[in-house]
């Protein structure tokens, strides 16, 4: 089926665009325009009653691939026992929402598991910082939690503040 083959090509191109160096957003923007044109053409074909035509969401397909690629990067970063880069982690969480669009729902369980893992690691780190009275680390953790909340919609900062037993903001 030509429509399914085109969708596979778009998904493959999206995967390559997400993995390539350089301006990923520009590449994805071009693919999105192509996918939108394909979706519009399908809309036209679906209105022809003589055709038995099943529409395939091209934009949704590449959004799902983009979200999955960002989740893979998050999972890779979270797999590190030490040396995790918080900026990279935040960027990929932001990318899931920005690039994944409505497809975030399709990868929701993985996304939630990643959020939970970040939360647990942060709570563990906060406990260590609290036990050692390391106020600089506590502030850094709260700062990261605030940024994480902004991109993930969680309430990690409030949870960490509660863990400290005071309003450390």
């Amino acid at each position: 089926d030509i429509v399914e083959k085109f969708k596979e090509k778009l998904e493959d191109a999206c995967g390559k665009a997400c993995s390539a160096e350089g301006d990923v957003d520009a590449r994805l923007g071009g693919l999105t325009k192509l996918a939108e044109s394909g979706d519009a053409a399908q809309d036209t074909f679906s209105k022809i009653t003589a055709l038995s035509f099943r529409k395939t969401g091209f934009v949704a397909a590449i959004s799902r691939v983009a979200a999955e690629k960002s989740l893979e990067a998050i999972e890779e970063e979270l797999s590190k026992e030490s040396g995790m880069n918080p900026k990279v982690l935040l960027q990929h969480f932001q990318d899931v929402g920005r690039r994944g669009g409505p497809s975030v729902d399709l990868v929701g369980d993985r996304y939630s598991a990643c959020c939970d893992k970040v939360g647990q690691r942060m709570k563990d780190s906060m406990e260590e910082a609290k036990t050692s009275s390391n106020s600089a680390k506590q502030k850094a953790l709260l700062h990261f939690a605030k940024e994480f909340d902004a991109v993930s919609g969680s309430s990690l900062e409030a949870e960490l503040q509660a863990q400290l037993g005071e309003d450390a903001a």
Side-chain angles (χ1 to χ4, degrees):
D1 180 44
I2 277 184
V3 173
E4 194 59 35
K5 190 73 166 170
F6 183 64
K7 181 183 129 209
E8 289 170 11
K9 293 287 186 184
L10 281 172
E11 290 170 334
D12 184 50
C14 181
K16 289 177 181 175
C18 289
S19 300
E21 296 292 323
D23 192 353
V24 173
D25 288 331
R27 288 185 190 98
L28 291 178
L31 281 172
T32 299
K33 286 180 184 176
L34 181 60
E36 287 169 346
S37 296
D39 284 346
Q42 288 185 91
D43 287 340
T44 301
F45 281 123
S46 69
K47 292 175 185 170
I48 301 172
T49 56
L51 293 176
S52 173
F53 186 79
R54 187 178 60 91
K55 289 173 39 175
T56 299
F58 296 135
V59 172
I62 63 171
S63 294
R64 180 188 46 76
V65 170
E68 286 176 349
K69 286 292 185 181
S70 292
L71 276 171
E72 287 171 13
I74 290 168
E75 291 164 341
E76 182 180 329
E77 198 64 29
L78 288 173
S79 71
K80 298 176 182 176
E81 289 300 318
S82 63
M84 189 173 65
N85 186 331
K87 289 186 186 289
V88 168
L89 197 60
L90 286 172
Q91 182 61 53
H92 287 297
F93 269 103
Q94 187 176 34
D95 289 346
V96 170
R98 191 168 44 86
R99 294 180 184 156
S103 294
V104 172
D105 293 340
L106 300 174
V107 293
D109 290 342
R110 283 176 65 197
Y111 184 81
S112 294
C114 289
C115 287
D116 291 346
K117 191 166 188 175
V118 168
Q120 189 57 54
R121 284 183 132 178
M122 293 293 291
K123 290 171 191 170
D124 293 346
S125 291
M126 184 58 83
E127 191 57 39
E128 290 173 18
K130 183 179 174 184
T131 301
S132 64
S133 299
N134 187 340
S135 62
K137 185 173 183 177
Q138 292 171 13
K139 287 180 182 178
L141 290 168
L142 288 170
H143 178 73
F144 175 85
K146 184 176 186 173
E147 291 180 328
F148 182 74
D149 289 350
V151 298
S152 69
S154 67
S155 57
L156 186 56
E157 182 184 19
E159 292 175 41
L160 293 180
Q161 286 178 343
Q163 185 178 353
L164 281 174
E166 64 186 89
D167 187 6

